[in-house]
Amino acid sequence: MSQTSNETDAPLRESMDYDVVIVGAGPSGLSAAIRLKQLDPSLEVVVLEKGSEVGAHILSGAVLDPIGLDRLIPDWKEKSAPIKTAVTEDHFLFLTDKRSVRIPNWPMPKLMSNHGNYIVSMGNLCRWLAEQAEELGVEIFPGMAASELVMEGDRVAGVVAGEFGREADGSIGANYEAGMELRGKYVLLGEGVRGSLSKVVMEKFNLSDGLDPQKFGLGMKEIWEIDPAKHKEGTVQHTMGWPLGSNAGGGSFLYHIENNQVYVGFVVHLNYKNPYLSPYMEFQRFKHHPVVADLLEGGKRVAYGARAISEGGLQSLPKLTFPGGALLGCSAGMVNVPRIKGNHNAMLSGIAAAEAAAVAISEGREGDELSDYEIAVRDGDIGDDLKKVRNVKPLWAKWGALASTVLGGFDMWTNFLFGLSVFGTLKHGENDAQAIGEAKDYAEITYPKPDGILSFDRLTNVSFAATNHEESQPCHLKLADPSVPITVNLAKYAEPAQRYCPAGVYEVVEKAGVPEFVINFQNCVHCKTCDIKDPSQNITWTTPQGGDGPNYPNM
């Protein structure tokens, strides 16, 4: 252990050296840690997690394709992994405002089937994976937010983590702790969607040059305990159509997990144009559809959360390696959009990165690029998975839900049967921030008031995310120009941050007749939507101090 400082005016920090430093105790980071120790038990591996515990910031649907877990821990059943609910029924519905139409399963490509998959809590699965990692000797530090990179020349040599005690104005407080520099021969970033350090690395090393912009969705989820008479353990149901219609792409999921619980989720693609649209209120409205309302009647919501989803797929997958490290899983964007699955690819990416890093270290290398990892992802199961579905998202964006179901299904079939597409590889076009239109071109949307039974206001629901931020710290939502929300976004776009945030973080309030932009960062559930959808790209999401944010149970 030594004392170092990354900058001349930075506080003096202690430094710890490892073979591999992993940021993020999600499925990709934990898979990488476990695989490293499987390959070489002598490797020193550390995993940093910004949540108060492993799983506290994990939110996913989730129906898990076990391909990654089978490869990582083949005897996971014997080791009592928290995976109990096999998918038994698989339903697809198209909704109108009052009715539903069942879409038959038989015309769908085989890859869309959930046979052999499991409904899981990824939060609980990550907690279990952390136990497996620690048994192998991996060090896991929860509550340690990695806030900046440590550079040595042109390579990433580590991260700074565990800084606490700055005052609201950024100054050093009485109980300040400078944190530590955790240095590694390689640094693996498994932060999830729109990770703050991953974003810095992509910009610094131009990892997305020449590629389509990454596309995103906003996923919102509630856990409900329902009437046992209505519960059908193992049932998976997806819908599209109402209430979004032509306003936005997206859809819903209803997953019947054990203990009479149902995961109720709603996804809105963030390329929507109408600045008056509220993804959160669309979710609340959805639950009043007769199909959903009948299921939930007599039940109670027990948890809520939200998270952005990477949807760009193959066209937006950046270069995965940089000097000294690599991007894992959703930090790069490996979600299969029509399957609504990314956890399997996250785990596979962690395994592949670990294998490349272990070989490099065994050869006496460090700080270079893990080119074998890039090849393994693009030419292996992950690349194959994303290639088959690469046109579904652009088709949806151009033609809407119904047409994309037909055209996308046809395209997936030709890819599955013949390994080719009549469309080639379609482009995504503009990023999601550029997609939003000006308020003058759209009518304001009036949403029904939540009834407190099936639907809830944002602040009430946020209380079920158990989110907490130390209020004396600096706001982790940074404005490049504090005047922009009022002078630009309010004037041109009716300041959509008031509506796209699913946690009520942003408000425009009148003070003495003058509008003022207010950031209630204490409410933040770390979904990153503001960093993505702000039309002026004026908001940057950064990590608050470690341990802050949501405390999800079995999300």
Side-chain angles (χ1 to χ4, degrees):
M1 183 180 294
S2 59
Q3 289 190 327
T4 64
S5 176
N6 198 31
E7 300 175 10
T8 56
D9 59 345
L12 196 65
R13 293 188 172 101
E14 291 185 340
S15 174
M16 294 182 67
D17 294 326
Y18 291 87
D19 290 304
V20 181
V21 174
I22 300 171
V23 180
S28 65
L30 290 169
S31 295
I34 290 169
R35 187 62 182 141
L36 282 162
K37 296 294 278 188
Q38 288 173 339
L39 292 167
D40 184 352
S42 70
L43 290 174
E44 294 186 348
V45 180
V46 65
V47 179
L48 306 173
E49 167 55 41
K50 66 183 175 69
S52 60
E53 63 170 354
V54 173
H57 291 179
I58 296 292
L59 185 147
S60 185
V63 172
L64 178 71
D65 179 339
I67 180 175
L69 188 57
D70 288 341
R71 194 166 298 175
L72 183 69
I73 306 176
D75 58 346
W76 56 266
K77 291 182 180 179
E78 289 74 21
K79 291 187 173 181
S80 301
I83 299 176
K84 303 174 183 177
T85 307
V87 176
T88 56
E89 295 185 51
D90 207 357
H91 302 160
F92 294 85
L93 304 179
F94 185 85
L95 302 184
T96 65
D97 59 343
K98 298 294 184 184
R99 299 182 180 277
S100 64
V101 178
R102 173 85 181 267
I103 301 171
N105 293 60
W106 63 262
M108 296 184 183
K110 185 178 179 180
L111 62 90
M112 294 296 289
S113 171
N114 279 308
H115 177 74
N117 296 333
Y118 297 84
I119 308 172
V120 301
S121 157
M122 283 308 298
N124 287 341
L125 180 57
C126 285
R127 292 180 178 98
W128 179 82
L129 287 170
E131 292 173 0
Q132 311 310 302
E134 288 180 323
E135 287 178 7
L136 293 171
V138 175
E139 293 184 42
I140 301 178
F141 297 152
M144 289 281 279
S147 54
E148 62 181 283
L149 300 171
V150 175
M151 302 295 299
E152 283 184 358
D154 292 330
R155 66 162 283 200
V156 174
V159 297
V160 173
E163 185 182 32
F164 292 90
R166 286 193 180 271
E167 300 293 337
D169 62 0
S171 62
I172 291 175
N175 299 314
Y176 178 74
E177 296 178 24
M180 300 184 68
E181 289 187 1
L182 294 104
R183 293 171 173 261
K185 295 171 182 175
Y186 295 98
V187 176
L188 305 181
L189 299 179
E191 301 173 290
V193 178
R194 200 72 163 188
S196 52
L197 295 186
S198 302
K199 185 179 173 183
V200 170
V201 162
M202 282 191 266
E203 292 174 356
K204 183 176 184 63
F205 295 104
N206 303 312
L207 301 185
S208 294
D209 279 11
L211 300 173
D212 285 9
Q214 185 61 263
K215 307 294 285 184
F216 298 92
L218 171 59
M220 296 155 286
K221 178 181 176 182
E222 296 172 355
I223 302 178
W224 280 71
E225 292 179 357
I226 66 167
D227 182 345
K230 300 176 182 180
H231 187 259
K232 298 179 180 179
E233 186 171 319
T235 296
V236 164
Q237 180 176 295
H238 294 102
T239 78
M240 57 185 176
W242 191 89
L244 293 173
S246 60
N247 280 330
S252 80
F253 60 84
L254 293 166
Y255 300 157
H256 291 241
I257 195 75
E258 60 265 18
N259 301 322
N260 297 317
Q261 290 192 334
V262 177
Y263 294 160
V264 183
F266 199 77
V267 177
V268 177
H269 300 170
L270 290 178
N271 61 348
Y272 65 83
K273 296 185 180 301
N274 188 341
Y276 291 111
L277 186 135
S278 166
Y280 177 84
M281 291 307 297
E282 296 288 347
F283 176 31
Q284 298 308 302
R285 189 157 63 138
F286 154 77
K287 289 182 291 177
H288 287 273
H289 191 279
V291 167
V292 186
D294 180 66
L295 177 71
L296 300 182
E297 184 181 9
K300 64 177 181 178
R301 161 220 48 190
V302 296
Y304 166 74
R307 182 83 179 194
I309 305 166
S310 59
E311 296 184 338
L314 193 66
Q315 297 93 315
S316 306
L317 192 67
K319 183 182 177 185
L320 301 174
T321 63
F322 49 87
L327 301 172
L328 309 182
C330 284
S331 287
M334 298 182 184
V335 171
N336 182 315
V337 172
R339 294 186 75 198
I340 322 178
K341 291 179 179 63
N343 291 304
H344 64 301
N345 284 337
M347 297 186 75
L348 290 172
S349 75
I351 294 168
E355 291 172 347
V359 169
I361 293 170
S362 72
E363 294 174 349
R365 294 159 45 200
E366 66 175 278
D368 60 351
E369 296 203 24
L370 299 170
S371 56
D372 287 350
Y373 168 58
E374 186 93 34
I375 294 168
V377 169
R378 295 187 185 275
D379 295 348
D381 289 326
I382 297 172
D384 184 59
D385 189 49
L386 297 180
K387 185 177 180 181
K388 289 187 178 79
V389 302
R390 66 191 183 278
N391 290 323
V392 173
K393 172 70 175 180
L395 284 167
W396 196 328
K398 187 171 184 179
W399 298 106
L402 277 177
S404 71
T405 300
V406 177
L407 295 174
F410 172 75
D411 189 61
M412 285 189 285
W413 267 116
T414 61
N415 275 283
F416 177 71
L417 294 173
F418 310 114
L420 56 84
S421 168
V422 296
F423 299 109
T425 298
L426 300 175
K427 296 286 187 181
H428 287 308
E430 62 196 358
N431 67 39
D432 292 332
Q434 294 166 333
I436 203 160
E438 295 188 22
K440 64 182 177 59
D441 297 323
Y442 295 88
E444 191 167 351
I445 300 173
T446 302
Y447 289 101
K449 184 178 179 180
D451 65 0
I453 301 171
L454 292 177
S455 51
F456 312 97
D457 65 81
R458 281 184 295 186
L459 295 186
T460 299
N461 238 0
V462 167
S463 69
F464 282 78
T467 194
N468 181 65
H469 295 84
E470 172 56 52
E471 296 187 17
S472 65
Q473 69 182 299
C475 176
H476 65 279
L477 303 161
K478 311 294 187 184
L479 300 181
D481 184 342
S483 71
V484 162
I486 300 301
T487 61
V488 178
N489 287 357
L490 184 62
K492 288 183 69 174
Y493 308 106
E495 186 42 276
Q498 302 173 89
R499 293 172 290 278
Y500 61 58
C501 174
V505 169
Y506 302 101
E507 293 180 281
V508 175
V509 299
E510 294 279 340
K511 291 191 176 180
V514 178
E516 181 178 318
F517 190 63
V518 176
I519 303 176
N520 304 300
F521 75 87
Q522 300 90 341
N523 296 350
C524 182
V525 294
H526 300 193
C527 74
K528 320 288 181 63
T529 302
C530 54
D531 196 298
I532 296 162
K533 189 60 178 174
D534 177 56
S536 299
Q537 289 293 270
N538 189 52
I539 302 173
T540 297
W541 188 96
T542 64
T543 53
Q545 66 183 22
D548 287 2
N551 286 279
Y552 294 135
N554 56 324
M555 285 289 198

